[in-house]
Amino acid sequence: MTTPQKRAREASRDEKARNKAHRRQEKRHTRSAEPELVTADEIAGNLRSIEDVMASLFAGKDAPERSAAPIPTKLFVGSLSDDTSSAKLRAHFAPHAEIAEAVVITDRNTGASRNFGFVTVADRKDAPGVIEALHHSELDGSHIVVNVAQDRR
């Protein structure tokens, strides 16, 4: 390659670098467009709930119940008394919701209560009401703690 060709190539490279720097400077000094703010109602539009749609479809008739099966929710119950059994735990929760299962956890070796248990509420829609009603309530002389059970990590 000859010297004039090298110089032409270098000049072309320098020109590209200057153009790039100029574009970068222009981009820095131009203001970006403000994002348009929209609400969830604007995005969703006028959507009705499934209950409203079903009621309008079956106006004057008996509307069928939703076909989806209830989803159970497991609740952690802590600070139980040593005297609390699974039956007593179920009896304490039964007036507030349909209970699928109630278990007091016991020690494998001694069989003594570990002072906590789990209650499975048959429908997850009932769980917040059960927690609100029974959290810090008294069962067998102890104030119990009721929360949604967390998976082990």
Side-chain angles (χ1 to χ4, degrees), residues 35-105:
E36 181 182 349
L37 299 177
V38 293
T39 65
D41 291 335
E42 291 172 349
I43 293 169
N46 188 16
L47 293 179
R48 299 185 303 171
S49 70
I50 188 70
E51 287 80 14
D52 293 341
V53 172
M54 294 296 285
S56 67
L57 286 174
F58 295 97
K61 303 176 196 171
D62 288 334
E65 292 293 318
R66 290 187 68 174
S67 61
I71 299 172
T73 299
K74 187 175 269 194
L75 302 177
F76 169 81
V77 184
S79 300
L80 294 174
S81 167
D82 290 333
D83 300 330
T84 304
S85 66
S86 296
K88 287 181 183 178
L89 189 61
R90 178 184 285 274
H92 188 67
F93 278 76
H96 300 281
E98 182 181 343
I99 305 302
E101 180 183 32
V103 178
V104 174
I105 305 301

